[in-house]
Amino acid sequence: FWLPYFLVHGAPQLPPASAAQVASVFDIGFMIGGISLGQLSDQMGGFVGAPVRSPLIVASLALALVPLAVLHSATSYGSVVASILIAGFFLGGPTE
């Protein structure tokens, strides 16, 4: 609900149908990021066998800011889709 609204009324100003498609791309990136970064987090070992997730979460959230900054100045549909996919990937990781 929130992503298509901001893609229609925000900086990219996409048509409503395109905004709905791009929102689906965000969900795909979110799922791929959750699986990939979740597995990476499980493989990072800490002391006493406990996984160390904090550095991965902080890095993932920091890296999610880059495609969001690019999205603000995106001019083509392809750059909007790529930015949303990458942002979804990095935002999906910390949720797992």
Side-chain angles (χ1 to χ4, degrees):
F1 170 73
W2 62 272
L3 186 55
Y5 177 81
F6 286 115
L7 290 173
V8 170
H9 299 289
Q13 294 185 350
L14 297 175
S18 297
Q21 291 172 348
V22 173
S24 297
V25 170
F26 177 81
D27 292 335
I28 292 169
F30 200 87
M31 288 183 279
I32 294 170
I35 293 168
S36 302
L37 296 176
Q39 184 167 355
L40 180 62
S41 174
D42 289 343
Q43 291 176 353
M44 294 175 65
F47 61 93
V48 193
V52 180
R53 293 187 174 101
S54 297
L56 182 64
I57 291 171
V58 170
S60 179
L61 292 175
L63 288 171
L65 294 175
V66 175
L68 293 177
V70 170
L71 178 65
H72 184 67
S73 61
T75 55
S76 70
Y77 183 75
S79 61
V80 170
V81 170
S83 297
I84 290 293
L85 180 69
I86 295 169
F89 179 85
F90 286 119
L91 290 174
T95 61
E96 294 300 319

